[in-house]
Amino acid sequence: MALSRFLFFGLLAIRAYAQDSPEEDVQSTTQSPPNALAVKISTTFPASEFFGVKLINNRPTTAVLSITNSEPAPISIVFIGGSLWLPPSPAVQEPHIVRNLTTTKYDGVEIPAGEEESVKYAFKMELQPQELVLNLAVVVRDAEGGVHTLQAFNETVAVVEPDTSIFDPQM
């Protein structure tokens, strides 16, 4: 587990270092480099509301990642991970990480050329209610054995407390 987290964030650091121009803000990380894989990732949160994604403290949040492989060869999903960042604001000059999320291995999930596969990624956390930027990344291996980190989600989310009731025995 620790090795996969180390590999994941090492790949994110290498990817950031290898890009030609420094990124201005967190939102610009959704740009793919010109030599990237022809892979499209669409992320949805089935339990989300109309007003956006809410991460409920101490409850699992599930993201469904639909990965479309437009490469001429199959790709394999190595693992999926993420992090929560402070959004850019006048008070925060440089975005910085608040919490790393669980990294999940996906051994044996192969997406053939021209096909689409959906995988679930679940995580749970406990933070003070606030707005943060959720950054999810997928690490894939191409047919030649090359490892690539792909952006899956990079948007502002709200961390909220769970609803309470007078019938809740934990009160």
Side-chain angles (χ1 to χ4, degrees), residues 15-147:
R15 179 177 178 214
Y17 181 75
Q19 290 181 349
D20 293 335
S21 61
E23 297 168 342
E24 292 295 320
D25 59 4
V26 175
Q27 296 299 325
S28 67
T29 60
T30 58
Q31 300 292 332
S32 297
N35 58 354
L37 290 176
V39 175
K40 180 183 176 203
I41 302 174
S42 173
T43 304
T44 58
F45 294 84
S48 68
E49 298 177 354
F50 177 73
F51 298 109
V53 178
K54 291 186 179 178
L55 308 180
I56 302 172
N57 277 328
N58 289 320
R59 297 223 176 121
T61 300
T62 302
V64 178
L65 286 74
S66 298
I67 304 170
T68 305
N69 179 13
S70 300
E71 288 286 307
I75 60 169
S76 299
I77 301 173
V78 180
F79 52 87
I80 299 173
S83 56
L84 292 164
W85 296 73
L86 282 178
S89 69
V92 180
Q93 297 301 323
E94 241 177 73
H96 67 278
I97 194 164
V98 174
R99 171 91 27 104
N100 285 325
L101 301 175
T102 304
T103 301
T104 306
K105 288 178 80 171
Y106 289 85
D107 292 332
V109 177
E110 186 172 286
I111 305 171
E115 296 290 321
E116 179 178 341
E117 182 77 30
S118 292
V119 294
K120 291 183 179 180
Y121 171 71
F123 59 92
K124 187 169 130 178
M125 49 73 209
E126 183 174 351
L127 294 168
Q128 294 294 323
Q130 60 189 313
E131 287 197 351
L132 297 170
V133 174
L134 173 61
N135 186 331
L136 298 179
V138 180
V139 177
V140 298
R141 182 175 292 121
D142 60 19
E144 290 83 37
V147 178

